[in-house]
Amino acid sequence: MDEALGGRVGEAVTRWECRCQLPPILLATYDRRGRVHIKARDRYWHVDGLVQTICPKCGTEHALDLRPPGDSRRPAAGSAPS
């Protein structure tokens, strides 16, 4: 990934996937800094923190919370995100 796409050259990203089928459906990618990278058609979104989405194939809701532990915006364990 390059600087224009929100990452540093050579920085490792992790795939966020729905495993409802093979191959898995890519929902987004995220990096070690906690930034989520989403590509939708010709747009790129870079988000810090909480991202929620629905798989376009199976309709399952997914949430990815990359806020640091102790972040005052992070819900307590077991509570639903707002």
Side-chain angles (χ1 to χ4, degrees), residues 34-51:
R35 177 162 282 189
V36 181
H37 309 282
I38 304 166
K39 181 182 183 301
R41 295 186 183 89
D42 63 342
R43 307 247 189 259
Y44 290 90
W45 300 82
H46 306 289
V47 181
D48 292 315
L50 173 67
V51 177

Side-chain angles (χ1 to χ4, degrees), residues 14-18 25-30 36-38 51-54 61-65:
T14 302
R15 293 173 57 93
W16 181 32
E17 304 172 328
C18 179
I25 302 299
L26 178 65
L27 302 172
T29 61
Y30 59 94
V36 181
H37 309 282
I38 304 166
V51 177
Q52 294 175 286
T53 190
I54 297 173
E61 293 184 35
H62 298 270
L64 179 63
D65 191 349

